[in-house]
């Protein structure tokens, strides 16, 4: 029975062309690359809002950004303006006129039945035609053509003018009315009359839905846009009429004068131009917001007729609108403002897919809990986003360290020994015992959330499993001192410093929860910070490197945890140039004052007496700094690491793990970190 139903459903299925919208087969938007880029920009001093906007502008490794789409829009606009010129209709009229005159001259020369006096007068008239096409057409309006071929070409001029004038207002009319009969022209005049009557009624507020429906039933074939309301009809007509006006504005005064004079000959009657002038007046009155006064220089070598030119000017308007949307520079701009249909029409379906992906990415960033608005209305990275970013940074650190440690995996650090009481999700390669209670609870919660029943038992899935973390080492209290003097930002060390702090914070908060980390930023003065505060810290132009104050705060942290192993990690690119006076005031001097150095040495000695395992991370090649750091490390029995910037995170994390190794000390990390691009000193 079920199989018959399935076969029937298959037979009854209907397939159609995909009509747009989010691709149901597309994979979910990957936020990891965006979040990493946004995190870097936030650490550089950008607001999360600006950082998100910058990522959307740049795009990702395999994703076009707004800037790329805007560049393609600008290239398309430049191509249109450099390809075309506005003499197309005038040139076509000149060609038809020259052809008609040439055929008439030939007929006058061949036809022996023509009276010699008539022949001479006709030749004189043709010889003395004005150079202006409009004046020549006007003068030949009542000429008695002897050549049927010439007469036919001359009539084509009037027909061409009428079709071009209509094509400016109604796309496709030029081709539709080719070889039109008198009845066709009468039908067009009737449509224009009915249209103007409808618009004037609407302008006065006297029209009805029935009047619009009757008009479309009678003349709908002339409106391929298939408007459903009179407002939609007005929009379509006004946009094209405004483009026609901008094309006219872009012509020279001589071109406009020629076309104005020629237009009186359209279809051999001024009635058409009267109706079009009335239509333009109605549209400008009801759609004053359209760009009726703009112009665009066209300096190409490919002529355009009036109808085709109007289409090009509509394309230029579309491209200008897309350029504004892609700039996202106006107040309240959102990715949802992008007109995907227009983008696909102008740049192709691939561009529309790229833009839709960016829209989905922005929505996912706003809706996934990675950002939230504070009480001041500004977007901020949430703790969830910080955790995700920290995990990504920690994975990068692990990859760097694995090449130096024989594939050592950070998540197995601290895996053996006494149970710590904490649990974490099982991962491939884990050998820790399962936490049965947590695993079964996860399975029950998942089953209930999926609408299932636990009456007949629970099926355990691998994602439900949690393992018990173990702690083989003593508790550590860690002080990470990071230099926040302006030279750190000036020399490109600001973001690596923050990434390092976030990676270490993530490692300790997720793998070594028993350890206590204190983040201390020291510039002109020092202060403790939480990770959100540090990552959002802007660079300060104030001078000073107050290592003394930073060490004071570190020692206070160590004294709060008398039974833990103190670990002191110091990241700096300069000698100490300020210290804290007994009054609480900051003293600054450069070159470093001996008293400033003495105060820093005293606090380092205090940290050493507290049992701190000390590692200095020296950034830069300043010889004076190198000598000072080496002396300080030797005094404290510590280590100096001089990593390259992209290895700073791995160096700090490696030093922390080494300090916790059995029998450990930072010096035990030499073999682990040796062979990298950085190097160990001391």
């Amino acid at each position: 029975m079920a199989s018959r139903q399935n076969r029937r459903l298959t037979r009854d299925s209907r397939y159609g062309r995909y009509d747009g919208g989010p691709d149901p087969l597309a994979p979910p938007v990957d936020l990891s690359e965006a979040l990493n880029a946004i995190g870097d920009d936030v650490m550089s001093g950008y607001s999360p809002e600006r950082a998100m906007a910058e990522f959307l502008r740049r795009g990702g490794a395999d994703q076009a950004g707004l800037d790329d789409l805007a560049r393609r829009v600008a290239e398309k606009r430049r191509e249109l303006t450099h390809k075309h010129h506005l003499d197309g209709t005038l040139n076509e009229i000149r060609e038809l006129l020259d052809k008609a005159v040439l055929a008439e001259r030939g007929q006058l020369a061949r036809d022996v039945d023509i009276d010699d006096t008539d022949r001479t007068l006709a030749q004189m008239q043709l010889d003395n035609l004005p150079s202006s096409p409009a004046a020549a057409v006007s003068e030949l309006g009542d000429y008695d053509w002897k050549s049927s071929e010439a007469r036919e070409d001359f009539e084509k001029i009037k027909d061409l003018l009428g079709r071009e004038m209509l094509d400016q207002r109604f796309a496709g009319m030029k081709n539709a009315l080719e070889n039109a009969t008198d009845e066709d022209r009468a039908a067009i005049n009737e449509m224009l009359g009915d249209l103007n009557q409808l618009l004037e009624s609407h302008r006065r507020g006297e029209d009805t839905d029935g009047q619009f429906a009757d008009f479309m039933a009678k003349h709908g074939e002339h409106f391929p846009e298939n408007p459903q309301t009179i407002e939609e009809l007005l929009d379509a007509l006004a946009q094209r009429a405004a483009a026609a006006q901008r094309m006219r504005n872009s012509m020279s005064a001589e071109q406009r004068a020629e076309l104005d004079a020629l237009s009186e000959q359209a279809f051999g009657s001024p009635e058409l131009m009267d109706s079009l002038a009335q239509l333009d007046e109605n549209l400008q009155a009801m759609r004053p917001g359209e760009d009726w006064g703009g112009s665009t220089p066209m300096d190409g070598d490919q002529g355009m007729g009036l109808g085709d030119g109007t289409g090009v000017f509509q394309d230029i308007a579309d491209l200008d609108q897309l350029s504004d949307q892609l700039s996202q520079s106006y107040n309240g701009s959102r990715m949802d403002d992008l007109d995907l249909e227009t983008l696909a029409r102008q740049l192709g379906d691939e561009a529309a897919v790229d833009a839709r992906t960016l829209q989905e990415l922005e929505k996912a960033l706003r809706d996934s809990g990675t950002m939230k608005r504070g009480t001041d209305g500004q977007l901020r990275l949430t703790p969830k986003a910080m955790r995700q970013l920290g995990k990504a940074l920690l994975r990068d650190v692990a990859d760097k360290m694995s090449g130096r440690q024989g594939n050592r995996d950070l998540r197995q650090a601290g895996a053996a020994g006494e149970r710590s009481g904490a649990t974490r999700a099982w991962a491939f390669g884990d050998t820790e015992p399962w936490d049965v209670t947590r695993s079964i609870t996860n399975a029950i919660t998942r089953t209930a959330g999926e609408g299932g029943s636990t009456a007949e038992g629970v099926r355990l899935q691998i994602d439900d499993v949690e393992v018990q973390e173990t702690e083989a080492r003593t508790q550590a209290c860690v002080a990470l001192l990071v230099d926040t003097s302006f030279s750190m930002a000036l020399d490109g060390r600001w973001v690596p410093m923050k990434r390092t702090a976030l990676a270490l914070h993530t490692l300790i908060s997720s793998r070594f929860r028993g350890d206590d980390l204190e983040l201390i930023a020291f510039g002109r003065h020092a202060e403790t910070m939480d990770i959100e505060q540090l990552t959002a810290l802007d660079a300060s132009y104030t001078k000073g490197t107050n290592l003394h104050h930073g060490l004071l705060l570190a020692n206070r942290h160590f004294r709060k945890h008398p039974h833990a192993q103190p670990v002191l990690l110091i990241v700096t690119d300069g000698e100490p140039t300020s210290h804290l006076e007994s009054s609480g005031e900051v003293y600054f001097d450069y070159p470093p004052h001996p008293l400033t150095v003495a105060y820093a040495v005293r606090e380092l000695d205090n940290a050493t007496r507290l049992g701190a395992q000390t590692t200095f991370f020296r950034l830069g090649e300043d010889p004076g700094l190198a000598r000072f750091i080496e002396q300080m490390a030797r005094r404290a029995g510590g280590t100096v690491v001089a990593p390259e910037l992209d290895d700073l995170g791995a160096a700090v994390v490696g030093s922390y793990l080494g300090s916790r190794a059995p029998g450990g000390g930072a010096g035990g990390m030499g073999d682990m970190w040796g062979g990298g691009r950085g190097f160990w000193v001391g």
Side-chain angles (χ1 to χ4, degrees):
M1 174 89 178
S3 61
R4 287 198 302 272
Q5 288 178 339
N6 290 337
R7 285 196 298 271
R8 185 168 65 250
L9 287 172
T10 301
R11 287 196 301 269
D12 293 344
S13 297
R14 295 292 182 267
Y15 300 90
R17 181 181 176 86
Y18 177 58
D19 59 358
D23 185 354
L25 301 180
V29 177
D30 182 9
L31 296 181
S32 58
E33 182 183 14
L35 189 58
N36 287 341
I38 290 170
D40 278 352
D41 283 345
V42 168
M43 293 180 197
S44 298
Y46 287 13
S47 69
E49 185 95 47
R50 182 183 172 193
M52 179 173 67
E54 286 298 315
F55 177 78
L56 294 174
R57 294 185 67 81
R58 294 191 303 263
D62 300 314
Q63 169 65 50
L66 294 176
D67 282 347
D68 181 66
L69 294 174
R71 175 187 56 77
R72 293 165 61 186
V73 164
E75 288 176 352
K76 175 76 177 292
R77 190 186 194 282
R78 186 164 53 250
E79 176 186 343
L80 290 176
T81 58
H82 290 355
K83 179 179 180 181
H84 300 291
H85 66 77
L86 304 178
D87 277 340
T89 297
L90 288 175
N91 288 341
E92 198 170 352
I93 289 172
R94 288 190 187 96
E95 291 174 3
L96 287 172
L97 183 61
D98 290 344
K99 186 178 178 183
V101 170
L102 182 62
E104 181 67 8
R105 291 183 188 279
Q107 185 65 27
L108 291 174
R110 290 190 303 268
D111 194 341
V112 296
D113 295 330
I114 300 176
D115 181 78
D116 288 342
T117 302
D118 292 341
R119 188 196 320 274
T120 300
L121 290 173
Q123 288 175 340
M124 288 178 60
Q125 184 175 2
L126 295 177
D127 290 342
N128 291 283
L129 285 174
S131 59
S132 163
V137 170
S138 177
E139 184 169 321
L140 293 173
D142 55 0
Y143 177 80
D144 182 15
W145 297 92
K146 304 301 187 291
S147 167
S148 58
E149 179 186 352
R151 181 183 300 106
E152 182 179 342
D153 286 336
F154 186 76
E155 291 302 321
K156 284 181 180 179
I157 293 176
K158 299 178 180 180
D159 180 71
L160 171 66
L161 284 168
R163 290 187 292 120
E164 287 281 19
M165 293 295 178
L166 286 169
D167 204 34
Q168 277 198 301
R169 275 72 174 185
F170 310 95
M173 194 70 78
K174 178 181 178 181
N175 295 329
L177 289 179
E178 192 170 9
N179 302 318
T181 63
D182 291 339
E183 290 78 10
D184 294 330
R185 298 186 184 95
I188 290 297
N189 283 327
E190 181 182 8
M191 182 272 291
L192 287 172
D194 291 347
L195 176 59
N196 278 318
Q197 183 179 354
L198 173 65
L199 296 183
E200 287 170 359
S201 297
H202 183 70
R203 190 174 172 182
R204 296 190 301 267
E206 299 172 357
D207 63 312
T208 64
D209 292 340
Q211 188 178 356
F212 171 75
D214 291 342
F215 174 82
M216 291 301 297
K218 185 177 181 180
H219 303 296
E221 61 182 301
H222 300 302
F223 302 93
E225 302 90 352
N226 191 27
Q228 300 300 304
T229 65
I230 191 170
E231 295 298 332
E232 291 182 8
L233 175 64
L234 270 170
D235 287 340
L237 290 172
Q239 288 169 9
R240 189 159 179 89
Q245 183 62 46
R246 292 193 299 275
M247 180 179 180
R248 175 182 169 81
N249 299 341
S250 304
M251 295 178 177
S252 66
E254 293 77 12
Q255 289 172 324
R256 288 196 295 269
E258 287 286 321
L259 287 173
D260 288 346
L262 285 167
S263 63
E264 298 176 2
Q265 306 292 324
F267 283 157
S269 167
E271 181 181 355
L272 172 64
M273 291 309 299
D274 291 342
S275 297
L276 292 177
Q278 185 180 1
L279 175 61
D280 287 346
E281 180 184 351
N282 285 324
L283 293 174
Q284 290 190 35
M286 287 183 282
R287 288 293 185 270
E290 291 289 339
D291 182 9
W292 301 96
S295 63
T296 300
M298 309 290 282
D299 55 5
D301 54 9
Q302 182 174 317
M304 295 185 297
L306 296 179
D308 291 340
T310 298
V312 167
F313 273 80
Q314 278 191 293
D315 286 341
I316 289 174
D318 283 348
L319 294 169
D320 288 343
Q321 184 179 36
L322 287 173
S323 181
D324 288 341
Q325 294 169 0
L326 291 167
S327 73
Q328 295 283 291
S329 59
Y330 48 91
N331 290 334
S333 60
R334 295 288 295 267
M335 289 297 298
D336 288 342
D337 297 341
L338 292 183
D339 187 338
L340 299 183
E341 183 178 346
T342 300
L343 192 62
R345 185 170 64 249
Q346 294 297 337
L347 297 185
D349 292 338
E350 183 179 347
V353 170
D354 286 335
R356 183 182 293 115
T357 302
L358 291 174
Q359 286 180 334
E360 293 170 358
L361 184 61
E362 182 197 43
K363 186 176 186 300
L365 285 169
R366 293 182 184 274
D367 297 346
S368 64
T370 57
M371 293 185 180
K372 68 176 181 180
R373 292 200 178 274
T375 55
D376 57 358
Q378 297 297 315
L379 277 181
R380 288 186 171 83
L381 293 179
T382 62
K384 174 183 177 181
M386 297 301 295
R387 288 194 298 272
Q388 291 176 334
L389 183 58
K391 289 178 181 177
L393 295 175
L394 196 55
R395 282 194 297 270
D396 291 342
V397 167
D399 290 341
K400 290 180 180 296
M401 293 180 63
S402 65
R404 302 173 172 88
Q405 304 175 48
N407 296 323
R408 176 186 175 95
D409 193 339
L410 289 185
R411 61 178 180 76
Q412 293 200 7
E418 298 297 326
R419 297 173 184 175
S420 67
T423 64
R424 58 179 169 82
W426 178 88
F428 179 77
D430 278 337
T431 58
E432 293 82 2
W434 286 17
D435 188 305
V436 177
T437 302
R438 292 283 300 174
S439 300
I440 297 298
T441 301
N442 290 340
I444 294 173
T445 302
R446 174 184 51 77
T447 302
E450 294 172 352
S453 172
T454 59
E456 298 181 358
V458 176
R459 290 185 176 274
L460 196 65
Q461 296 184 2
I462 194 61
D463 291 339
D464 301 325
V465 177
E466 292 197 22
V467 296
Q468 298 175 349
E469 288 193 332
T470 57
E471 181 61 67
R473 306 169 180 88
T474 59
Q475 180 187 12
C477 61
V478 185
L480 175 63
L481 278 64
V482 290
D483 188 342
T484 55
S485 60
F486 187 64
S487 61
M488 290 285 287
L490 192 64
D491 295 330
R493 298 160 186 154
W494 198 252
V495 173
M497 173 270 290
K498 292 183 177 182
R499 290 171 65 93
T500 297
L502 182 54
L504 182 63
H505 175 272
T506 302
L507 175 64
I508 292 176
S509 62
S510 62
R511 295 289 181 262
F512 297 98
R513 298 187 184 99
D515 288 357
D516 200 304
L517 172 65
E518 186 92 302
L519 299 173
I520 301 171
F522 64 100
R524 189 175 183 87
H525 67 278
E527 61 179 309
T528 59
M529 295 185 177
D530 57 33
I531 190 60
E532 290 80 12
Q533 184 181 3
L534 178 60
T535 53
L537 182 67
D538 287 333
S540 173
Y541 288 89
T542 56
K543 297 179 180 179
T545 304
N546 201 331
L547 179 60
H548 166 239
H549 194 185
L551 290 170
L552 278 172
L553 296 178
N555 288 335
R556 184 179 67 181
H557 175 58
F558 296 153
R559 292 187 181 99
K560 288 181 181 178
H561 303 83
H563 302 297
Q565 169 61 54
V567 178
L568 179 60
L569 308 172
I570 303 172
V571 178
T572 185
D573 71 344
E575 299 174 75
T577 56
S578 61
H579 66 264
L580 203 62
E581 295 279 320
S582 57
S583 62
E585 296 294 323
V586 172
Y587 176 86
F588 168 80
D589 194 15
Y590 185 84
H593 193 281
L595 191 59
T596 299
V597 175
Y599 278 6
V601 170
R602 185 183 67 187
E603 286 306 316
L604 180 65
D605 289 345
N606 289 337
T608 303
R609 281 191 288 271
L610 290 171
Q613 297 177 0
T614 303
T615 306
F616 287 89
F617 300 89
R618 174 171 59 81
L619 304 180
E621 303 298 330
D622 179 20
L625 172 65
R627 287 192 298 272
F628 171 77
I629 292 296
E630 289 167 14
Q631 291 170 4
M632 292 282 279
R634 191 175 302 113
R635 185 182 185 95
T639 309
V640 179
V641 184
E644 293 192 6
L645 282 180
D646 58 353
D647 280 336
L648 178 60
V652 171
V653 168
S655 181
Y656 162 71
L657 292 175
S659 70
R660 306 187 82 261
M669 292 298 295
D671 293 338
M672 178 187 298
W673 191 246
R677 286 177 292 168
F679 58 91
W680 289 85
V681 180

